[in-house]
Amino acid sequence: MRTLEEQARERREKLSKKHGVGSNVKKIARVMWWTGFFGAITIIPAALWYTGKADKWLALAEKESIYLSARLGMTVNNIEVSGREKTDTNALLAAIGQKPGTPIITFDVDAARERIEELSWVRNATVERQLPDTLIVSIVERKPLAIWQTTDRNHVLIDGDGEQLQNYELGDYLDLPVLVGADAPKSAAEMLGILQTIPDLYAQVTGAQRIGQRRWNIQLANGMFVRLPEQDMDKAWQRLAMLNREHDILERDVLIVDLRLPDRTFVRLTPGAAELRRNPPKKEGAV
């Protein structure tokens, strides 16, 4: 008969064997699981990429993410626009190109901005997504500067960059000066900026003609023409202001004021005034 000590030792040995096998099975199972996991995230994508199927997997993932974002409410429900005054609303919405209810994460803000800036009245634009459901569009419109008379005698509204504007009523801008000359639009901003520095004189300006792609002749409301030099237009314009202050030259029968030379001014009278100067009326009683 075995002693109690021998029986206890035998039970301990059996228990030790039993737990040892179970522990090894669990360890093997854990190793197999982690091996499978890392295989899924490394070997499988690598295999898909090698076989050319990774693009399909990525496309499917992208499609699913877009679908889920829409289910979560990330769709275009609001379009907020600031800065619009002259730009046609329908043309602007068409340029934005995103219909309400479509997923907002697919919206290409750069492409939309480029389309918006192609509209004639838009100088520049910014487009942003405001999640979850709003597009923010901010535009800076062009400012009309003058009316350009083209070579075929049509009249076109232009801005300071010489860009031709569209979709307007010409009658709304008849107070702007009329420019003549093939290269007048691209050179007008500098010239008109100088003329505007003396508001009283600029208020009399009705038009300007570009001469030889070098200089300008300015037409005033009283029919007078002012010939400006190619260089130092600002000094010549200030000289005209001085002549008007000291001699009221704008009130006289003068057809042309020539300011092209910096040290002298030439004046041509109107035909009527010139005739009177050549043939002054005889005094009564004179023989």
Side-chain angles (χ1 to χ4, degrees), residues 2-287:
R2 292 177 298 173
T3 63
L4 293 175
E5 184 178 355
E6 290 173 341
Q7 294 177 12
R9 186 169 54 249
E10 185 180 355
R11 286 196 298 269
R12 285 197 299 269
E13 289 176 356
K14 289 181 179 180
L15 289 172
S16 176
K17 291 180 179 179
K18 179 180 179 181
H19 288 290
V21 173
S23 178
N24 289 335
V25 171
K26 291 180 180 179
K27 289 180 180 178
I28 293 172
R30 283 198 295 269
V31 170
M32 291 179 65
W33 189 92
W34 282 107
T35 301
F37 174 76
F38 283 110
I41 65 174
T42 58
I43 298 174
I44 293 175
L48 288 172
W49 184 270
Y50 181 77
T51 58
K53 296 181 179 180
D55 289 343
K56 294 181 180 179
W57 184 81
L58 292 173
L60 180 62
E62 181 181 4
K63 183 177 180 180
E64 186 66 19
S65 65
I66 293 172
Y67 171 76
L68 290 175
S69 70
R71 289 292 300 272
L72 293 172
M74 298 175 67
T75 59
V76 178
N77 290 321
N78 303 298
I79 300 177
E80 297 182 4
V81 177
S82 62
R84 189 205 70 82
E85 292 184 9
K86 301 296 184 180
T87 304
D88 182 73
T89 302
N90 293 330
L92 179 58
L93 290 175
I96 293 172
Q98 191 79 345
K99 297 180 180 179
T102 55
I104 195 170
I105 63 173
T106 62
F107 181 68
D108 189 335
V109 294
D110 292 328
R113 175 185 53 78
E114 292 175 359
R115 290 194 300 270
I116 293 170
E117 289 181 346
E118 289 178 356
L119 301 176
S120 74
W121 278 93
V122 178
R123 183 181 180 86
N124 53 63
T126 58
V127 183
E128 300 175 338
R129 284 186 295 255
Q130 188 178 80
L131 300 180
D133 61 356
T134 302
L135 298 178
I136 306 296
V137 180
S138 178
I139 64 176
V140 176
E141 292 189 329
R142 298 184 181 276
K143 302 298 182 183
L145 179 70
I147 297 172
W148 176 43
Q149 179 177 297
T150 63
T151 53
D152 53 3
R153 303 191 68 82
N154 288 326
H155 291 82
V156 179
L157 192 65
I158 64 170
D159 76 337
D161 295 328
E163 293 293 328
Q164 299 182 30
L165 304 178
Q166 300 173 4
N167 302 321
Y168 59 86
E169 293 292 336
L170 189 62
D172 296 337
Y173 301 98
L174 295 181
D175 58 330
L176 295 177
V178 177
L179 308 179
V180 178
D183 69 328
K186 68 178 183 180
S187 306
E190 178 186 7
M191 177 270 295
L192 291 176
I194 290 173
L195 269 53
Q196 290 169 354
T197 60
I198 305 177
D200 291 345
L201 281 184
Y202 181 72
Q204 302 297 318
V205 174
T206 60
Q209 182 179 10
R210 184 73 167 160
I211 306 298
Q213 299 184 1
R214 297 181 298 103
R215 64 173 197 84
W216 293 91
N217 286 347
I218 309 302
Q219 184 174 5
L220 304 183
N222 61 0
M224 182 183 297
F225 291 90
V226 180
R227 294 177 177 174
L228 294 179
E230 181 179 357
Q231 305 293 331
D232 297 326
M233 280 191 296
D234 55 338
K235 294 179 180 179
W237 193 242
Q238 292 168 8
R239 185 148 43 106
L240 180 64
M242 181 190 67
L243 289 171
N244 194 48
R245 286 194 305 270
E246 296 179 357
H247 304 287
D248 292 326
I249 195 169
L250 297 187
E251 303 299 325
R252 298 180 179 275
D253 294 327
V254 174
L255 179 64
I256 297 173
V257 178
D258 193 335
L259 302 171
R260 287 178 293 176
L261 296 179
D263 57 348
R264 66 192 65 186
T265 301
F266 296 95
V267 174
R268 180 184 299 178
L269 298 177
T270 62
E275 179 63 26
L276 287 175
R277 179 177 286 264
R278 287 192 297 268
N279 300 295
K282 296 181 179 180
K283 296 181 180 179
E284 293 184 5
V287 178

